[in-house]
Amino acid sequence: MSGNLLEVQGLFAGYGEVPVLRDVHIAVGRGEIVALVGSNGAGKTTLLRALSRVLSGTGKLTFEGRDLSCLTPEQVFKLGIVQVPEGRQLFDQMTVLENLMMGAFARRDRKAIQETLASVYELFPKLYERRTQRAGSLSGGEQQMCAIGRALMAMPRLLMVDEMSLGLAPVIVDQLLEVLSTIRKQGVTVLLVEQDVFAALEVADRGYVMETGTVTQSGTAQALSEDPEVKRAYLGI
Amino acid sequence: MTLRTKFVLALAATLVLAALPWFAPPTLVQFGIATLLLATLAQGWNIIGGFTGYASFGNSVFFGLGSYGTAIAMVQWQLPFGVGLAFGVLLSVLFALVMGIPVLRLRGHYFAIATLALSQVMTAIVSNLEIAGRNIGLVLPLLNGDALFYELSLAVLVLATLTIFWISRSRFGFGLIAIRENEDAAASMGIDTTRYKVLAFALAGIFSALAGGIHAYWITFIDPVSAFDLSLNVKMIIMTVFGGPGSVLGPVIGAFVLSAISETLSTEVSSVASLFFGMVIVAAVIFMPRGLADLIRRFRKTGWRYFSENVRSHRL
């Protein structure tokens, strides 16, 4: 086997009778940022759900050589596969600090949790300023920072970010993408799921394009963003 | 107030309450038993409704199962009261585990409706059980000892409140609050939401069943309609919400205050008591929708503005 952190081979999954994913193959190497792009309804979020075992499916899913298919969502989380869910899903009534601490819910090492908290504050100084504010009162960009910070509090090995750019100004998206590059340098692998194809490919090393439930193209980020097919499909040129 | 002074105050209040049967008239002791049991039920509802955010109408089932478990064990099997109580709790916990796993998948209104249906079904089932005396009910052995029932009720309430105090500062409690605030987010943070919810439901069941068992032995007669009375569940909700859902002492204070108001009204203006009681509830919901606990916490800072702000923020 190669040194891939995550491998998905021949994954089929769906909701009830409705099949969504058809024979999906992807691989994510250690320390990579991999973009998973595609339009609405391509099955990107479904793939994430299948990876975090909220949704069952058939096919081979391995994380560091470990088979995921027989694990519960909590066990997958403990292995270090952590999601930043679409729409941020913060605990609105709780403070920023409480939200961050919820990310460390499954951890018991108090001292190390404080260290992680310090590094999250270093990454997002805004969150430190606003630590006693209710998360629901933050701006959209700050909320997304809080959601990423919360996921980082769980010390992920693989961070899966779902639709990070949703409803955010392009300037903020660029800032957040930069943060993802920093996180990667700290040893966290990132799987970035995006509709904003070109923003995602800007920071990613490699990318997969999904259409109607299957991967139609893959390659280095640069090759994909220069690919005439991708350009035509997503930019209309 | 520091936690220490709060704890000392609560301890002093408990000791005064415990000494009550030695100097109070019998009617007050009887009122005390009923109030303490209601407070225990409110605390049970607080766990599932206040902390976890699941508006349960099934807590009267726990009360009924506690009543019937105790009654069946004592009347049909001639077992002592303690064993009966334990049997009632066992039934209640089993019910919480078996019904909780499917029903707690539902959210919001759907959960409320499903538990509502369950409590109706239980009346019908028990009415047809030979061992439960069908729809006639069961008559328990008579025990004259209001003081004993009073102290027992107080002990169970203290146990329930200490458990909630523990919940409010434990990982388990934070997990429940996370589920209340945003269940999807809680799940994506690696919390086994189903397990947490079922545990909360079972914990609520334990205390409600204890209250039911004590009530059955005290009142010495139970029948299906009164044991699974839905209005009791409504009372639990009103008292918890009045006192402050998700707080440690709120539901207890809510139960005490509302029972006192209700009792005073029914002696002063007996025929229209429930009308006035209803007005008290409506006023409470308008002026302090987050309960007494929140009022006490915030009143010092905001003063009388607290009430006008509540009215305004809820666009009433």
Side-chain angles (χ1 to χ4, degrees), chain B residues 8 22 33 47 108 118 122 205 220 232 257 279 297 305:
Chain B
V8 171
W22 276 276
I33 298 170
I47 300 174
L118 278 180
M122 285 310 291
T220 69
L232 189 64
V257 171
M279 283 162 64
R297 211 175 301 134
R305 253 184 327 120

Side-chain angles (χ1 to χ4, degrees), chain B residues 43-55:
Chain B
Q43 286 291 47
W45 196 86
N46 192 22
I47 300 174
I48 185 76
F51 279 89
T52 323
Y54 273 72

Side-chain angles (χ1 to χ4, degrees), chain B residues 48-122:
Chain B
I48 185 76
F51 279 89
T52 323
Y54 273 72
S56 164
F57 282 89
N59 283 31
S60 54
V61 175
F62 296 139
F63 178 83
L65 287 174
S67 303
Y68 267 99
T70 307
I72 289 170
M74 290 180 76
V75 177
Q76 311 286 26
W77 304 332
Q78 272 84 41
L79 292 168
F81 173 60
V83 180
L85 212 51
F87 180 61
V89 169
L90 181 73
L91 282 182
S92 196
V93 169
L94 282 179
F95 178 83
L97 297 179
V98 171
M99 292 320 295
I101 291 168
V103 168
L104 283 163
R105 286 172 186 278
L106 304 168
R107 294 187 188 179
H109 305 101
Y110 302 103
F111 174 76
I113 291 166
T115 51
L116 199 63
L118 278 180
S119 72
Q120 298 302 299
V121 168
M122 285 310 291

Side-chain angles (χ1 to χ4, degrees), chain A residues 178-233:
Chain A
E178 214 158 284
V179 168
L180 291 184
S181 309
T182 317
I183 295 170
R184 180 258 295 273
K185 279 182 206 128
Q186 292 167 3
V188 180
T189 308
V190 180
L191 179 60
L192 182 60
V193 174
E194 267 296 339
Q195 277 191 57
D196 189 343
V197 175
F198 292 94
L201 291 175
E202 242 172 68
V203 289
D205 304 307
R206 290 188 305 116
Y208 292 92
V209 180
M210 275 187 84
E211 262 170 66
T212 57
T214 194
V215 173
T216 51
Q217 283 189 67
S218 64
T220 64
Q222 195 176 3
L224 279 180
S225 55
E226 282 165 7
D227 187 281
E229 275 282 308
V230 175
K231 271 189 177 169
R232 197 178 57 240

Side-chain angles (χ1 to χ4, degrees), chain A residues 73-74 77 82-83 85 88-94 102-108 150-151 154, chain B residues 170-172 174-179 181-193 196:
Chain A
E74 293 76 35
F77 180 87
V82 179
Q83 251 198 73
R88 308 188 269 270
Q89 302 287 359
L90 294 178
F91 301 103
D92 287 346
Q93 299 298 320
M94 296 189 188
M102 283 311 305
F105 188 83
R107 292 170 61 186
R108 289 171 184 277
R150 185 180 63 183
Chain B
S170 66
R171 295 167 62 74
F172 176 64
F174 284 120
L176 296 185
I177 294 169
I179 290 170
E181 294 302 327
N182 187 337
E183 190 163 342
D184 293 323
S188 73
M189 287 299 108
I191 297 173
D192 187 345
T193 52
Y196 274 65

Side-chain angles (χ1 to χ4, degrees), chain B residues 139-258:
Chain B
V139 179
L140 286 89
L142 191 67
L143 175 71
N144 263 326
D146 278 354
L148 182 69
F149 284 116
Y150 179 90
E151 299 298 347
L152 198 56
S153 309
L154 181 63
V156 172
L157 176 59
V158 168
L159 188 67
T161 306
L162 285 176
T163 307
I164 287 180
F165 176 70
W166 167 78
I167 288 176
S168 72
R169 341 190 81 218
S170 66
R171 295 167 62 74
F172 176 64
F174 284 120
L176 296 185
I177 294 169
I179 290 170
R180 178 186 72 200
E181 294 302 327
N182 187 337
E183 190 163 342
D184 293 323
S188 73
M189 287 299 108
I191 297 173
D192 187 345
T193 52
T194 311
R195 207 179 92 212
Y196 274 65
K197 287 186 290 185
V198 170
L199 278 176
F201 206 40
L203 214 49
I206 292 176
F207 295 114
S208 314
L210 284 173
I214 295 171
H215 185 262
Y217 195 24
W218 178 48
I219 224 83
T220 69
F221 171 71
I222 57 167
D223 65 291
V225 175
S226 65
F228 294 97
D229 185 9
L230 205 62
S231 72
L232 189 64
N233 201 116
V234 175
K235 273 188 193 161
M236 300 177 207
I237 300 177
I238 291 176
M239 288 170 169
T240 310
V241 172
F242 184 86
S247 66
V248 178
L249 281 175
V252 178
I253 296 167
F256 283 11
V257 171
L258 286 182

